[in-house]
Amino acid sequence: MLETTLWIVLVMLSIAVLLCFIRVVKGPTMSDRILAIDLLGINMIGIIGLIMIIQDTLVYVDVLLVLGIIAFIGSIALSKFIERGIVVDRDNN
Amino acid sequence: MMKNSLSLQTISRIAVFIILLFSVYFLFAGHNNPGGGFIGGLMAASALVLLYLSFGTKKINKVIRINFPYLIATGLLIAMATGVISVIFGYPFLTQFYEYFHFPLLGKAGLATALLFDAGVFLVVIGVTILVILTIAEDDD
C-alpha cells in the first residue's frame, strides 16, 4: 500500500517538475521564471525524500540539506537582481 | 537607491552560522561518508556569499580581512606539504596514514592525514569561489 502510494506521488512530483520547467522556458516575465526555479528546487527535495523512503536509507540527507541551501541562496540572488539590478552591491545602507 | 532589507539581514545573520557549521561537518565527515573538502568549501563559500549579498561588499570587507589569493596559496601549500611529508619518510608521494586515538570527550576516533589534504582543498575552494564572485560583482562601473 505504502509502496504504491509512494510511486504515485513520485510520478506526480515528476509531472510538477516538468510543468515548472515549461514555466521556466516560456514564462512571460522574469518573476515567473524565478518562482518556477525556486519551486523546481523544492520539488527536487521532495523527490529525493521519497526516494529515501523507498530505498529505506538515510544516506541522501546531506543531499537534501545542500539542495535546500543552494535553492535558498539562488532565489535570494535572483530576486535581488530583479529588485535592484545588481546582485552584490557595494554599500548597503 | 536605499531599500530596506531588514528581513534578509536578520535571516542571514542566523543562517550563516548554520551553513558554516554544516560545512565543517562536511569537512570532517568526508573520509568514510559523503562529503569532503570540496563540497565543504563550497558550503562555506555560499555562507560568505550570503553575507556579501545581504550586507554589501564594503561592510563585509571591513569584517572579514582575508586576502583571498593568499588563502588559495596557503591551501595549495598545505595540500602539497601532506604529500611531501610522506616522501620525506620514504613512502610514495601522497601516501596517507591512519591511526585510532582516544580523545577525552569523543572516545575512540580515527585520525587520517587525508584530513589535512582535505583542509587544503577546503581553503582553495573558498578562495577561488569568493574571488571569482567578487571580481564579477565589482566589474559593473
Side-chain angles (χ1 to χ4, degrees):
Chain A
M1 182 61 199
L2 180 65
E3 190 85 2
T4 315
T5 315
L6 285 175
W7 282 104
I8 290 172
V9 176
L10 204 56
V11 170
M12 286 165 72
L13 276 181
S14 309
I15 295 171
V17 167
L18 197 66
L19 292 177
C20 287
F21 187 70
I22 291 172
R23 183 53 72 192
V24 169
V25 171
K26 64 178 281 270
T29 63
M30 201 70 191
S31 312
D32 291 329
R33 291 195 175 97
I34 290 170
L35 201 60
I37 286 174
D38 195 27
L39 194 58
L40 205 149
I42 302 295
N43 276 326
M44 281 162 70
I45 291 175
I47 285 176
I48 294 174
L50 283 176
I51 288 175
M52 249 170 32
I53 298 175
I54 288 174
Q55 296 185 353
D56 199 9
T57 176
L58 276 178
V59 182
Y60 305 136
V61 168
D62 300 335
V63 181
L64 290 188
L65 286 166
V66 170
L67 257 179
I69 292 169
I70 296 294
F72 173 64
I73 293 177
S75 48
I76 281 180
L78 282 171
S79 48
K80 199 170 173 189
F81 176 71
I82 63 165
E83 187 193 352
R84 307 193 188 184
I86 181 172
V87 177
V88 180
D89 46 6
R90 189 153 304 163
D91 195 8
N92 193 355
N93 50 60
Chain B
M1 200 155 122
M2 290 285 200
K3 288 271 181 61
N4 190 9
S5 59
L6 180 65
S7 60
L8 175 61
Q9 291 179 358
T10 311
I11 287 290
S12 65
R13 265 177 202 152
I14 301 168
V16 159
F17 289 106
I18 298 173
I19 300 174
L20 280 177
L21 189 68
F22 186 51
S23 77
V24 174
Y25 161 73
F26 259 149
L27 174 64
F28 285 108
H31 194 69
N32 295 322
N33 289 321
F38 189 82
I39 183 68
L42 277 183
M43 283 296 111
S46 67
L48 293 182
V49 165
L50 185 59
L51 275 182
Y52 278 111
L53 274 178
S54 50
F55 292 101
T57 53
K58 191 179 167 191
K59 201 176 284 181
I60 296 301
N61 279 334
K62 214 182 293 175
V63 175
I64 304 174
R65 300 170 171 277
I66 298 175
N67 196 348
F68 287 105
Y70 288 173
L71 192 68
I72 299 172
T74 311
L76 280 178
L77 274 179
I78 290 173
M80 204 182 68
T82 59
V84 172
I85 283 173
S86 57
V87 171
I88 289 173
F89 286 113
Y91 293 98
F93 185 62
L94 282 177
T95 306
Q96 67 145 337
F97 305 100
Y98 194 77
E99 191 63 51
Y100 284 101
F101 290 103
H102 281 282
F103 289 105
L105 286 177
L106 300 172
K108 191 180 179 187
L111 275 186
T113 55
L115 181 65
L116 288 174
F117 183 79
D118 260 350
V121 175
F122 186 83
L123 295 181
V124 171
V125 171
I126 290 178
V128 169
T129 313
I130 299 292
L131 196 62
V132 166
I133 288 175
L134 287 187
T135 310
I136 292 173
E138 286 173 355
D139 198 35
D140 58 336
D141 54 1

